[in-house]
């Protein structure tokens, strides 16, 4: 990447747009970056995931994409995927959404649905009988397996609440820490699907307590789950740290929840929005660990580097291009706007930080925006005290303004003094009043 | 009857005789107290006796007789005479003597106040009341029953300076809570009249947060003014009461001042047009409470505050831009506002008429002058004095038997 000398120069002369990816001419689909500024390749995207999350993500894309052909594509793939499983509720939903648009092959298949439901009934009865038998025999291990089977059963049929309850019930019958970890992982999976991330956090911490039973892959899985929970809770800095700590051992082992591309995307964006320069360099840019992840999403890698080397126009351009696809991600959807705003503000602040005066024309060029809107943005940042500067609106220059510590201290001192004065006097008065009332009451009693 | 008059004569003689030393005065005092009924029965015929007594040397005796005289109903013609004679007495009496009978003195002054009000000439009452207060007070920290009456006179006579001089004394010792409420309320109004908003805010705050077991009308009115002054002086108003406010006040005050709270809300939103709409909507209510003037000041304050905020972000700004941001109608109006603020010392700026630009300057105060050092020094002294007071009070309280009885339970 460019050396930092560019940034320490006086003003930005011209912007350079980096070539996307910098990799070979791509033939094989596997090497083409999946999260990029081109329109999302749904098949490739869906191939990253497995299990229920694949279906949820496809349905989410169908809902949010706003493009009929893409929507139908997603619904079609969702339909196929659901048919491989046993979730009749979801099946009915997807059929309603398709609304016959994909032809007779993708219509309501009542026969299949009924067959699945009947099988489900049988299985449920069988499981119940088995479980009762185990319970009377009081064999802990079997009871635990029984509840686990129930949990899996409910999960496959889309009854997430019941699945969760059953998984949690195995707690009482766990005898080794491996069992506990197993329970936690199941609980985490169901909670993520249900969107209840408080449970995720608690079960992650529970699992992490049994250190000895954790193999490296599980550790990475737990980190990702924790990161997701923090992301949902809008704690971007902590989420970024979790994602950045995830090691490459994760690989494709947690596709029922998250893909390595996601780790890179979420981690990269959150870090950019919340880390300061030093942390960004040490934990993201220089991190060998994370570099492996970033290779999977070269545009994000590029934009982080651009930000660090102060090529803001190019960085913001990448962000703009990625936005459409990021909005289709089920976990990131609600946070895209906030993260983008934070990144943009940081860019503005970082731009003005080293200078005593900044020409607003050049700054507007660097950020590819008009002077009027730039002035408005800067005004907001100054009012929030994120930039210490003042705008010379006549000459369109931004002047850095370093508050006079001495004067400020004097002002604060005088103010605190008079406040103390006022408060103590009021307090003495009130005490006096209360004493009078009390004396009055006391004298009345006598 | 004659017998009684003779007794009165003897008393007068004793007043003459026993007004010398302190022990004599005390004796006289007990005598006078015993002769209360006598005075009451002879009230109509006591007036000529006053001429025999000297208001300074025989203050105590004079006081008792004066009190008895004035307890009878007074006709309108006699009123102005009476007013003059009481004023004379107040001016000439000896403070040590009348402090022995504060209740009598207070009731005399109260009657004085009633007569002055009847005559509808509050100006007459200002100076005598001031003197009365100074003589009755045990110390300048003492609040007497006369304080609110005095402030009322000042308000009615529009004679604010003497009022301010009384308000500058710190009060720590209160006789009657009711006096305290009135004192703070009237005091607040005087300060508002003189544009000393910080002191007004302090007084009104004390009323609103004073300990009380039931709500009274004074506090309700004070709360309304408190909201308005808070908006003018500080630029914001927080609905939450401090912890030490009485629970009665916390629960009920808001119900009585809905229009004012709405005004505070729309002020907080920051748009002039909304604020003016709000004022229009509640116009009658404000007028009824006689707070319309204050409300108008709140509106003009909003412009000022918006312009002040601009000084934080801009070094120079065109008048047109100021007009746009602050929602004024034209650059000319903006110029007038800015000019007024510069003259009042609320912002530091220069206007360049050629370019239509305003340049905002820093506060030139460098905190390096002798006056500043003196100010800081006097603040330090005050605060040390206050701390000492606080420790004294704490010590006193820990030795107070009533308190100990309550606490040890």
């Amino acid at each position: 990447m460019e050396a930092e000398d560019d940034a320490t120069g006086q003003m930005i002369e011209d912007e350079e747009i980096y070539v996307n990816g910098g990799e070979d001419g791509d033939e094989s689909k596997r090497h083409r970056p999946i999260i990029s500024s081109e329109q999302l390749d749904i098949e490739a995207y869906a191939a990253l995931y497995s299990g229920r999350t694949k279906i949820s993500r496809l349905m989410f894309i169908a809902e949010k994409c706003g493009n009929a052909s893409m929507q139908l594509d997603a619904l079609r793939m969702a339909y196929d995927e659901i048919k491989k499983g046993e979730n009749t509720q979801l099946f009915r939903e997807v059929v309603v959404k398709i609304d016959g648009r994909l032809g007779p092959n993708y219509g309501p298949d009542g026969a299949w649905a009924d067959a699945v439901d009947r099988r489900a009934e049988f299985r449920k009865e069988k499981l119940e009988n088995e479980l009762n038998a185990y319970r009377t025999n009081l064999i802990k291990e079997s009871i635990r397996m029984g509840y686990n089977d129930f949990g899996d059963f409910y999960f496959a049929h889309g009854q997430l609440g019941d699945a969760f309850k059953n998984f949690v019930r195995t707690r009482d019958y766990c005898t080794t820490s491996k069992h506990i970890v197993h329970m936690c992982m199941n609980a985490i999976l169901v909670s993520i699907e249900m969107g209840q991330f408080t449970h995720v956090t608690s079960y992650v911490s529970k699992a992490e307590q049994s250190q000895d039973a954790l193999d490296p892959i599980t550790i990475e899985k737990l980190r990702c789950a924790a990161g997701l929970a923090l992301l949902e809770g809008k704690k971007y800095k902590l989420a970024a740290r979790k994602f950045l700590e995830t090691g490459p051992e994760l690989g494709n082992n947690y596709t029922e929840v998250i893909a390595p591309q996601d780790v890179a995307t979420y981690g990269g964006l959150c870090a950019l929005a919340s880390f300061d320069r030093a942390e960004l360099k040490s934990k993201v840019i220089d991190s060998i660990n994370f570099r492996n992840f970033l290779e999977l999403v070269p545009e994000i890698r590029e934009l982080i580097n651009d930000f660090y080397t102060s090529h803001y126009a190019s960085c913001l351009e990448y962000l703009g291009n990625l936005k459409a696809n990021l909005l289709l991600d089920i976990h990131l959807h609600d946070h895209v706007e906030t993260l983008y705003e934070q990144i943009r503000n940081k860019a503005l602040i970082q731009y003005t930080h080293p200078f005593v005066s900044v020409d607003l024309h050049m700054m507007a060029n660097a950020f590819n925006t008009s002077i009027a809107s730039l002035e408005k943005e800067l005004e907001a940042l100054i009012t929030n005290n994120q930039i210490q500067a003042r705008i010379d609106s006549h000459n369109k220059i931004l002047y850095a303004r370093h508050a006079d510590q001495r004067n400020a201290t004097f002002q604060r001192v005088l103010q605190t003094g008079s406040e103390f004065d006022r408060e103590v006097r009021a307090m003495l008065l009130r005490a006096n009043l209360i004493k009078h009332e009390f004396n009055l009451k006391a004298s009345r009693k006598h | 009857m004659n017998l009684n008059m003779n007794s009165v004569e003897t008393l007068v003689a004793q007043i003459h005789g026993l007004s010398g030393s302190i022990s004599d005065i005390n004796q006289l005092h007990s005598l006078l107290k015993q002769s209360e009924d006598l005075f009451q029965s002879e009230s109509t015929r006591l007036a000529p006796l006053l001429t025999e007594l000297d208001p300074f040397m025989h203050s105590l005796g004079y006081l008792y007789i004066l009190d008895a005289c004035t307890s009878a109903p007074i006709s309108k013609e006699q009123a102005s005479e009476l007013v003059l004679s009481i004023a004379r007495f107040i001016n000439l009496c000896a403070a040590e003597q009348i402090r022995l009978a504060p209740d009598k003195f207070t009731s005399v002054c109260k009657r004085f106040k009633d007569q002055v009000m009847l005559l509808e000439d509050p100006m007459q009452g200002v100076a005598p009341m001031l003197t009365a207060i100074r003589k009755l007070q045990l110390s300048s920290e003492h609040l007497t029953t006369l304080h609110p009456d005095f402030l009322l006179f000042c308000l009615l006579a529009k004679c604010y300076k003497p009022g301010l001089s009384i308000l500058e004394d710190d009060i720590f010792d209160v006789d009657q809570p009711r006096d305290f409420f009135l004192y703070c309320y009237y005091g607040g109004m005087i300060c508002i009249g003189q544009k000393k908003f910080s002191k007004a805010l302090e007084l009104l705050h004390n009323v609103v947060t004073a300990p009380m077991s039931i709500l009274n009308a004074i506090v309700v009115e004070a709360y309304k003014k408190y909201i308005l002054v808070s908006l003018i002086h500080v630029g914001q108003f927080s609905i939450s009461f401090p912890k030490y406010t009485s629970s009665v006040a916390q629960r009920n005050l808001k119900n009585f001042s809905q229009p004012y709270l709405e005004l505070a809300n729309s002020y907080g939103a920051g748009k002039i047009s909304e604020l003016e709409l709000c004022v229009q909507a509640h116009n009658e209510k404000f007028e009824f409470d006689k707070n319309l003037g204050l409300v108008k000041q709140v509106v003009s304050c909003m412009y000022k505050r918006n312009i002040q905020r601009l000084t934080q972000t801009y070094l120079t700004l065109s008048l047109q831009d100021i007009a746009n941001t602050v929602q004024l109608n034209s650059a000319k109006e903006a110029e007038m506002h800015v000019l007024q603020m510069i003259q009042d010392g609320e912002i530091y700026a220069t206007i360049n008429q050629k370019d239509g630009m305003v340049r905002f300057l820093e506060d030139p105060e460098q905190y390096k002058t002798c006056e500043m050092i003196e100010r800081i020094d006097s603040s330090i002294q005050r605060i040390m004095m206050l701390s000492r007071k606080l420790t004294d009070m704490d010590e006193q309280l820990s030795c107070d038997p009533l308190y100990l009885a309550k606490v040890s339970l």
Side-chain angles (χ1 to χ4, degrees):
Chain A
M1 294 303 122
E2 292 295 311
E4 272 128 324
D5 304 348
D6 272 358
T8 58
Q10 266 305 303
M11 304 276 179
I12 306 296
E13 257 75 57
D14 42 69
E15 327 98 56
E16 290 175 67
I17 300 190
Y18 287 132
V19 172
N20 188 3
E23 280 177 16
D24 44 35
D26 324 286
E27 295 97 309
S28 113
K29 248 193 185 172
R30 263 188 304 122
H31 285 309
R32 231 167 88 220
I34 293 171
I35 298 183
S36 71
S37 47
E38 300 156 9
Q39 192 177 51
L40 191 65
D41 182 346
I42 303 189
E43 271 188 56
Y45 181 75
L48 293 171
Y49 305 100
S50 67
R52 195 193 148 84
T53 187
K54 187 170 181 177
I55 305 172
S56 318
R57 284 170 188 260
L58 284 168
M59 305 220 13
F60 188 78
I61 292 177
E63 205 182 301
K64 300 281 178 187
C65 72
N67 166 341
S69 67
M70 210 173 169
Q71 187 182 40
L72 286 175
D73 247 347
L75 286 172
R76 180 175 51 79
M77 294 202 301
Y79 187 99
D80 289 330
E81 195 61 32
I82 294 177
K83 262 228 158 134
K84 292 186 205 154
E86 297 184 349
N87 193 337
T88 48
Q89 177 60 27
L90 264 182
F91 180 73
R92 280 186 264 272
E93 271 180 44
V94 94
V95 165
V96 165
K97 290 213 172 100
I98 291 180
D99 208 15
R101 288 178 287 173
L102 286 171
N105 281 342
Y106 290 95
D109 194 344
W112 178 84
D114 289 335
V116 169
D117 283 336
R118 250 179 292 126
R119 266 206 309 272
E121 273 304 310
F122 282 149
R123 178 131 175 85
K124 188 169 169 193
E125 267 192 59
K126 177 163 166 265
L127 282 174
E128 267 187 51
N129 292 336
E130 280 180 12
L131 189 60
N132 286 333
Y134 296 146
R135 270 213 283 252
T136 37
N137 290 339
L138 287 178
I139 309 172
K140 264 198 168 177
E141 180 60 18
S142 317
I143 302 179
R144 187 185 75 86
M145 295 300 297
Y147 275 121
N148 251 326
D149 291 336
F150 247 120
D152 289 329
F153 168 75
Y154 279 127
F155 187 66
H157 282 267
Q159 286 155 290
L160 296 175
D162 293 323
F164 187 73
K165 266 191 253 158
N166 278 295
F167 282 131
V168 170
R169 276 207 201 113
T170 65
R171 172 92 186 78
D172 301 325
Y173 305 99
C174 293
T175 43
T176 69
S177 23
K178 259 206 166 2
H179 293 165
I180 296 185
V181 170
H182 189 236
M183 171 206 73
C184 291
M185 294 309 291
N186 283 328
I188 291 173
L189 181 60
V190 181
S191 311
I192 293 182
E193 280 302 310
M194 285 201 291
Q196 290 184 357
F197 287 90
T198 35
H199 288 310
V200 174
T201 325
S202 53
Y203 282 101
V204 165
S205 27
K206 203 174 277 190
E208 278 174 347
Q209 277 165 8
S210 354
Q211 273 296 321
D212 45 331
L214 296 175
D215 58 311
I217 297 185
T218 319
I219 298 183
E220 305 304 341
K221 288 186 185 177
L222 288 171
R223 283 217 186 100
C224 288
L228 269 180
L230 288 166
L231 176 64
E232 282 302 315
K234 298 200 201 298
K235 302 205 168 61
Y236 300 124
K237 196 169 202 170
L238 296 170
R241 289 207 181 120
K242 278 286 170 194
F243 284 123
L244 291 171
E245 281 166 11
T246 315
E249 295 94 15
L250 177 73
N252 286 321
N253 291 316
Y254 209 21
T255 52
E256 59 267 25
V257 169
I258 195 174
Q261 278 84 348
D262 292 335
V263 172
T265 317
Y266 300 165
L269 285 179
C270 289
L272 200 54
S274 57
F275 283 1
D276 61 21
R277 246 179 110 76
E279 219 175 344
L280 192 67
K281 178 120 172 82
S282 64
K283 290 220 176 120
V284 180
I285 300 180
D286 288 346
S287 151
I288 309 179
N289 227 358
F290 202 59
R291 201 170 288 172
N292 296 330
F293 283 108
L294 278 179
E295 294 299 319
L296 299 166
V297 280
E299 290 201 7
I300 302 235
R301 185 194 61 206
E302 291 310 310
L303 75 86
I304 293 182
N305 278 320
D306 279 340
F307 186 90
Y308 188 72
T309 53
S310 311
H311 291 105
Y312 300 111
S314 137
C315 170
L316 292 173
E317 196 182 322
Y318 275 120
L319 275 179
N321 290 337
L322 282 172
K323 195 171 186 181
N325 285 340
L326 289 178
L327 280 172
L328 294 175
D329 181 297
I330 198 172
H331 292 296
L332 204 54
H333 176 87
D334 303 320
H335 306 278
V336 171
E337 289 296 347
T338 327
L339 285 171
Y340 269 47
E341 201 185 303
Q342 284 188 2
I343 295 177
R344 192 184 169 83
N345 284 346
K346 286 192 87 197
L348 287 169
I349 297 173
Q350 197 174 276
Y351 186 96
T352 58
H353 190 67
F355 299 112
V356 164
S357 65
V358 173
D359 182 347
L360 290 181
H361 295 285
M362 305 208 71
M363 189 170 175
N365 272 343
F367 281 89
N368 221 4
T369 168
S370 72
I371 292 200
S373 53
L374 181 67
E375 218 175 294
K376 285 269 163 278
E377 283 188 273
L378 286 173
E379 191 184 325
L381 285 174
I382 294 176
T383 317
N384 284 340
N385 223 7
Q386 287 174 293
I387 297 185
Q388 269 78 46
R390 306 260 286 278
I391 302 177
D392 181 344
S393 183
H394 190 193
N395 303 322
K396 301 290 176 217
I397 301 185
L398 184 78
Y399 286 102
R401 169 222 213 182
H402 299 294
D404 188 337
Q405 289 286 20
R406 186 175 169 278
N407 281 358
T409 313
F410 268 98
Q411 261 180 345
R412 252 202 323 273
V413 162
L414 286 172
Q415 199 183 351
T416 315
S418 60
E419 269 173 27
F420 181 81
D421 193 302
R422 215 172 4 152
E423 299 278 326
V424 172
R425 268 185 298 126
M427 195 165 35
L428 287 170
L429 244 182
R430 276 197 300 278
N432 196 292
L433 282 171
I434 296 181
K435 197 162 78 144
H436 268 288
E437 262 186 60
F438 185 70
N439 286 345
L440 207 60
K441 281 192 207 146
S443 62
R444 273 199 217 126
K445 273 193 204 146
H446 301 319
Chain B
M1 297 308 144
N2 269 333
L3 233 98
N4 275 342
M5 270 318 283
N6 284 333
S7 332
V8 174
E9 299 277 354
T10 16
L11 268 176
V12 174
Q14 280 179 318
I15 293 175
H16 274 274
L18 289 172
S19 296
S21 63
I22 309 259
S23 49
D24 286 345
I25 300 266
N26 286 333
Q27 203 186 356
L28 180 61
H29 193 195
S30 25
L31 268 175
L32 286 171
K33 276 202 275 208
Q34 285 162 358
S35 329
E36 280 275 1
D37 307 322
L38 188 57
F39 282 131
Q40 284 305 110
S41 54
E42 297 296 322
S43 54
T44 42
R45 294 196 260 176
L46 290 175
L49 291 175
L50 286 176
T51 48
E52 296 175 31
L53 293 173
D54 177 48
F56 180 69
M57 291 213 291
H58 315 127
S59 300
L60 196 54
Y62 200 109
L63 180 59
Y64 268 82
I65 300 187
L66 193 57
D67 180 47
C69 282
T70 51
S71 57
I74 311 282
S75 64
K76 196 115 198 255
E77 307 83 39
Q78 289 179 308
S80 53
E81 248 187 61
L82 189 62
V83 163
L84 284 171
S85 64
I86 297 185
R88 187 173 153 263
F89 168 62
I90 294 178
N91 282 334
L92 295 173
C93 67
E96 314 82 37
Q97 289 199 25
I98 55 149
R99 280 192 200 147
L100 291 172
D103 302 326
K104 291 264 174 224
F105 188 67
T106 318
S107 67
V108 167
C109 292
K110 283 273 181 220
R111 289 194 203 118
F112 171 69
K113 169 197 166 215
D114 296 332
Q115 295 308 316
V116 171
M117 297 297 267
L118 264 175
L119 287 175
E120 294 179 7
D121 185 12
M123 199 54 172
Q124 273 195 26
V126 175
M129 249 335 175
L130 183 56
T131 331
I133 290 179
R134 289 277 177 240
K135 291 200 179 166
L136 185 57
Q137 270 185 330
L138 295 169
S139 72
S140 71
E141 297 169 356
H142 180 211
L143 185 79
T144 63
T145 322
L146 303 176
H147 275 83
D149 296 331
F150 168 65
L151 289 177
L152 185 58
F153 281 152
C154 291
L155 270 173
L156 291 172
K158 296 210 196 320
C159 172
Y160 299 126
K161 289 265 168 51
L164 277 180
S165 67
I166 276 277
L167 286 169
E168 270 169 25
D169 295 334
D170 296 330
I171 300 288
F172 291 115
D173 202 0
V174 176
D175 278 340
Q176 279 277 8
R178 186 166 167 275
D179 300 330
F180 174 67
F181 287 134
L182 276 175
Y183 166 79
C184 283
Y185 181 62
Y186 291 144
M189 284 171 73
I190 293 184
C191 289
I192 293 174
Q194 293 291 92
K195 300 233 187 289
K196 292 207 182 321
F197 289 114
S198 135
K199 182 102 187 136
L201 200 61
E202 190 188 324
L203 286 164
L204 291 170
H205 180 82
N206 282 344
V207 187
V208 170
T209 57
M212 62 184 107
S213 44
I214 41 171
L215 209 55
N216 57 55
I218 308 173
V219 180
V220 173
E221 293 303 312
Y223 188 60
K224 295 178 187 167
K225 292 205 162 56
Y226 178 65
I227 299 178
L228 294 174
V229 175
S230 179
L231 287 176
I232 295 177
H233 186 68
V234 184
Q236 60 191 30
F237 175 72
S238 94
I239 291 216
S240 58
F241 290 99
K243 279 194 295 194
Y244 43 79
T245 321
S246 64
S247 44
V248 204
Q250 284 195 29
R251 276 197 301 259
N252 297 324
L253 274 178
K254 293 188 192 153
N255 302 339
F256 290 101
S257 25
Q258 266 313 109
Y260 296 86
L261 290 170
E262 279 176 31
L263 191 70
N265 273 337
S266 64
Y267 187 95
K271 290 224 169 350
I272 293 272
S273 40
E274 276 181 32
L275 190 65
E276 297 205 326
L277 273 174
C278 191
V279 172
Q280 288 290 54
H282 299 292
N283 212 355
E284 291 111 38
K285 194 78 184 14
F286 293 148
E287 214 171 317
F288 181 72
D289 291 334
K290 303 215 178 48
N291 282 330
L292 204 52
L294 262 182
V295 172
K296 292 210 168 69
Q297 287 194 41
V298 169
V299 178
S300 69
C301 245
M302 177 156 232
Y303 288 114
K304 290 195 195 149
R305 219 155 277 287
N306 287 343
I307 296 181
Q308 265 173 345
R309 220 171 320 165
L310 288 173
T311 63
Q312 293 302 313
T313 19
Y314 287 94
L315 264 184
T316 64
L317 195 57
S318 72
L319 285 168
Q320 190 54 49
D321 282 333
I322 296 184
N324 291 341
T325 324
V326 177
Q327 286 155 29
L328 285 168
N329 289 331
S330 69
K332 245 328 168 182
E333 267 192 48
E335 192 178 335
M336 283 196 314
H337 268 97
V338 174
L339 193 59
Q340 188 62 43
M341 285 175 77
I342 297 178
Q343 281 175 344
D344 291 337
E346 285 162 2
I347 58 173
Y348 304 98
T350 52
I351 305 180
N352 182 336
Q353 283 193 320
K354 183 167 72 113
D355 296 330
M357 279 281 163
V358 179
R359 180 174 211 91
F360 296 119
L361 308 163
E362 292 282 347
D363 179 357
E365 175 64 70
Q366 283 299 306
Y367 301 98
K368 288 182 181 154
T369 58
C370 283
E371 290 89 29
M372 188 49 71
I373 302 212
E374 276 177 30
R375 194 172 145 197
I376 296 185
D377 196 46
S378 66
S379 281
I380 296 179
Q381 298 297 336
R382 260 181 85 84
I383 293 188
M384 276 170 36
M385 187 265 295
L386 275 176
S387 298
R388 237 173 291 138
K389 249 193 156 46
L390 206 49
T391 359
D392 287 342
M393 186 173 227
D394 191 37
E395 280 175 16
Q396 255 183 21
L397 203 54
S398 5
C399 308
D400 187 320
L402 283 169
Y403 170 73
L404 288 171
K406 204 109 221 234
V407 166
S408 54
L409 280 172

